[in-house]
Amino acid sequence: MFYVPVLYAIRTRFLKRTKLGIFFWLAEYLFPVLLSFLLANIEPISISQMLLSVACVYCFYEIGYIQNDCETIKKEESPTLRLSEDELKIYERNKWNIYMTRGVLGILFSMYYIQQGIPSCTLLPVLWGIIPLYLLYNSMRNRLNQYLVLFWHYKIFCVNGNTGFRNES
């Protein structure tokens, strides 16, 4: 769960809400992404390319989830516990490997998109910018976080637009 993109989010976010959590994610995230590209007259290259772009975003995005769920909770008085005690112990024993694996996957995704000719001058800063943005978000607990969330969603839609779709105009 700590190593495979999207699995951590499914386990700690989507299925924690309700058994239908994955459907909420589809409605809140995937459907708006697809709708925004449809309205902008952008067509998917392929379903596999779309799924790859989602995995790529979550590879980076989940680093923030993991950091929040395993490190930020240590500083909070009443944290939201999304992991069991055993899962937290697994994290503590393997955190270096977890972050290194995510970093290597991020490099591999980046290399793939560069090799595919995706415009990396915008894509890579957006992707790699997710990590410091999430670290900033996790270190602050105030109203500014609401604005960071808006910026995040813009970044996520932007990344999927650059990695999973091409303009047909």
Side-chain angles (χ1 to χ4, degrees):
M1 149 178 92
F2 288 108
Y3 297 97
V4 180
V6 184
L7 287 185
Y8 189 84
I10 289 171
R11 162 73 175 76
T12 62
R13 298 305 191 276
F14 313 144
L15 295 179
K16 287 286 183 172
R17 285 186 186 176
T18 171
K19 296 295 180 202
L20 300 175
I22 194 77
F23 295 109
F24 286 111
W25 175 76
L26 290 170
E28 291 174 353
Y29 176 75
L30 205 53
F31 179 72
V33 169
L34 294 173
L35 182 62
S36 66
F37 289 114
L38 178 67
L39 294 174
N41 195 26
I42 299 172
E43 297 179 16
I45 293 173
S46 69
I47 291 178
S48 63
Q49 188 73 13
M50 174 62 185
L51 294 175
L52 185 65
S53 71
V54 170
C56 178
V57 169
Y58 272 87
C59 177
F60 291 92
Y61 200 72
E62 286 176 334
I63 291 171
Y65 278 166
I66 293 167
Q67 196 271 337
N68 181 63
D69 296 347
C70 301
E71 298 293 336
T72 306
I73 62 164
K74 295 174 186 175
K75 302 172 199 162
E76 296 177 342
E77 289 180 24
S78 0
T80 301
L81 297 176
R82 292 186 172 93
L83 299 173
S84 70
E85 228 177 280
D86 289 337
E87 290 167 328
L88 287 170
K89 287 177 185 173
I90 291 168
Y91 166 80
E92 285 298 329
R93 283 193 310 267
N94 299 291
K95 67 174 135 183
W96 191 85
N97 291 333
I98 292 166
Y99 293 119
M100 287 302 294
T101 300
R102 292 289 178 142
V104 168
L105 285 172
I107 290 168
L108 292 174
F109 277 122
S110 300
M111 289 170 51
Y112 170 77
Y113 288 121
I114 290 169
Q115 189 268 333
Q116 292 296 309
I118 308 287
S120 57
C121 61
T122 55
L123 172 66
L124 296 182
V126 169
L127 278 176
W128 288 93
I130 291 172
I131 297 168
L133 189 61
Y134 219 129
L135 291 173
L136 177 65
Y137 177 84
N138 285 339
S139 68
M140 301 174 356
R141 295 294 186 204
N142 59 36
R143 286 186 165 288
L144 184 58
N145 282 3
Q146 295 169 351
Y147 300 108
L148 287 174
V149 168
L150 289 173
F151 183 64
W152 245 321
H153 285 98
Y154 169 76
K155 284 177 71 103
I156 290 170
F157 294 137
C158 176
V159 169
N160 276 322
N162 284 316
T163 60
F165 296 87
R166 61 187 156 95
N167 194 331
E168 293 293 325
S169 349

